[in-house]
Amino acid sequence: MKIWVDADACPVAVKEIIFRAADRTGIETTLVANQYIRTPPSKFIKLLQVPRGFDEADDEIVRRVEAGNLVITSDIPLAAQLVDKGAQVLSPRGEMFTAENIKALHTMRDFMDTMRASGIDTGGPPAYSQADRKTFASQFDRIIAKFPKVV
């Protein structure tokens, strides 16, 4: 089992939780980004830097992820592709993307894109909060507890 992180826009607090868990559990963890991201020295954590460009990191994650892997991303179109591949997908806010909810989430995202494109100010997501961090950590711990033990 592996953990993949769509790392370019992933909050630092989430990466810190993931780093600690990777070292604690021995689960291979790969951050995928189109820019350099500092990672702690660990045999379980690596950075896969991809070329700059639209969806380069997303495309690389889709290519490499296998069923049962865990992916951390807030990108709904990416999440939809990963759910279709059988991956577990968790947002940095602790929301699981599943076969049951991904279509509705994708439809809402597309609707909001259309609204923004027509000039309507829809605002952005709320700032990442301590409650978001706690929800993510709790959900993340539940998921990795089910991974086969490596260490």
Side-chain angles (χ1 to χ4, degrees):
M1 302 301 245
K2 296 179 181 177
I3 298 172
W4 298 88
V5 182
D6 183 7
D8 284 314
C10 187
V12 171
V14 169
K15 287 185 268 197
E16 290 170 353
I17 291 166
I18 295 166
F19 294 157
R20 283 192 301 275
D23 276 333
R24 183 179 75 243
T25 63
I27 298 171
E28 184 180 328
T29 301
T30 304
L31 283 74
V32 182
N34 59 24
Q35 61 186 336
Y36 175 78
I37 294 177
R38 196 165 51 118
T39 60
S42 170
K43 65 181 181 178
F44 305 112
I45 302 166
K46 66 180 179 177
L47 171 65
L48 176 59
Q49 190 171 349
V50 298
R52 290 191 182 271
F54 186 71
D55 284 344
E56 290 286 337
D58 296 357
D59 293 344
E60 192 64 31
I61 291 170
V62 170
R63 270 193 292 280
R64 292 175 181 250
V65 163
E66 298 175 1
N69 288 174
L70 173 61
V71 181
I72 311 303
T73 186
S74 57
D75 185 317
I76 293 172
L78 172 60
Q81 292 179 69
L82 297 168
V83 166
D84 285 346
K85 285 189 79 168
Q88 300 176 79
V89 186
L90 180 64
S91 82
R93 294 180 188 270
E95 179 180 16
M96 285 297 301
F97 297 119
T98 65
E100 291 76 28
N101 71 7
I102 196 66
K103 185 172 179 160
L105 292 167
H106 203 191
T107 300
M108 179 56 75
R109 177 212 174 263
D110 290 346
F111 172 72
M112 296 303 282
D113 272 355
T114 301
M115 298 289 284
R116 284 188 290 275
S118 68
I120 297 172
D121 182 11
T122 60
Y128 194 75
S129 70
Q130 202 53 28
D132 293 327
R133 183 180 187 280
K134 183 177 179 185
T135 301
F136 172 81
S138 176
Q139 187 75 290
F140 180 72
D141 284 344
R142 269 195 294 278
I143 294 166
I144 64 170
K146 296 175 187 172
F147 273 31
K149 299 297 178 221
V150 179
V151 174

